[in-house]
Amino acid sequence: TDSTDKLYGELKAVVDIVKENKDFSNILRSPLVSKEEKKDLITKVFDGKLSQNMINFLKILADKDRLALLADIEKDFKVLLNEKNNILEGIVITAVPMKEEEVKELQTKLSAKYNKTVVLENEVDKSVLGGVLVRLGNEEIDGTVKNRLDKMKEQLSQVIS
């Protein structure tokens, strides 16, 4: 039905609700609460707010005692959705926050390099001292001052010893 983006949005919303509400999370995970009670609760809480497909999916998870895996399912769904849409998500770590146009420029350059739509989130870590560290999937591009200093320290220690 070409509704994968909508379903992901609903799944993410459910995961966020479960994370925020510990009592609700405990009920869904509890072995003391019957599967039928869990399915009734899902219907009462989400009926009219989620698509019937998502409600049915949550009920199947309840039947199979897999509601505890909801956050992992959401992460894996996101990976599959990104593959489908040719998107590569990553993190750019800097010592100071990047301007939005700098992040967009970096996204454009990396998108051209990887032939995918690269989406970056900026994180600040003062320990990098300067420069940029980009993590895309399993790949890391380290252009930080800390990395350069560590390499110089290693080279100097080899020369001295």
Side-chain angles (χ1 to χ4, degrees):
T1 60
D2 202 28
S3 60
T4 52
D5 291 327
K6 180 183 179 221
L7 287 172
Y8 174 73
E10 289 181 349
L11 182 58
K12 177 142 181 50
V14 170
V15 168
D16 291 343
I17 289 168
V18 171
K19 281 182 184 176
E20 288 173 18
N21 190 329
K22 291 297 178 198
D23 291 337
F24 186 53
S25 175
N26 291 338
I27 291 170
L28 292 178
R29 294 169 182 255
S30 175
L32 302 175
V33 179
S34 74
K35 293 175 183 180
E36 290 305 316
E37 288 175 313
K38 290 177 186 178
K39 291 193 295 189
D40 288 343
L41 181 63
I42 288 168
T43 301
K44 287 177 186 171
V45 170
F46 296 115
D47 194 33
K49 296 175 183 89
L50 297 177
S51 67
Q52 194 57 48
N53 284 338
M54 184 54 63
I55 291 172
N56 290 342
F57 176 67
L58 294 173
K59 288 180 180 180
I60 290 170
L61 293 178
D63 274 337
K64 304 292 183 183
D65 289 323
R66 299 291 188 261
L67 286 169
L69 301 174
L70 206 51
D72 293 330
I73 292 169
E74 183 260 332
K75 286 177 189 170
D76 288 343
F77 193 115
K78 181 67 173 175
V79 169
L80 293 171
L81 188 60
N82 284 344
E83 284 178 20
K84 176 186 178 277
N85 294 327
N86 201 31
I87 294 174
L88 184 58
E89 287 187 345
I91 299 169
V92 58
I93 302 170
T94 55
V96 294
M98 292 178 73
K99 295 177 185 161
E100 194 172 321
E101 57 268 10
E102 293 172 328
V103 174
K104 286 185 180 184
E105 183 180 337
L106 186 56
Q107 286 177 165
T108 303
K109 288 179 180 178
L110 291 171
S111 293
K113 178 182 177 182
Y114 289 97
N115 201 23
K116 290 185 176 224
T117 303
V118 174
V119 178
L120 295 172
E121 182 180 321
N122 184 214
E123 287 185 7
V124 176
D125 181 358
K126 300 211 184 296
S127 71
V128 299
L129 302 175
V132 176
L133 171 64
V134 179
R135 290 189 180 129
L136 293 169
N138 295 332
E139 192 171 336
E140 199 170 88
I141 304 167
D142 196 342
T144 61
V145 172
K146 181 185 184 311
N147 183 48
R148 291 182 207 152
L149 289 173
D150 288 343
K151 285 181 182 177
M152 285 174 54
K153 181 180 173 184
E154 187 179 309
Q155 289 171 347
L156 284 173
S157 68
Q158 288 176 358
V159 170
I160 293 171
S161 53

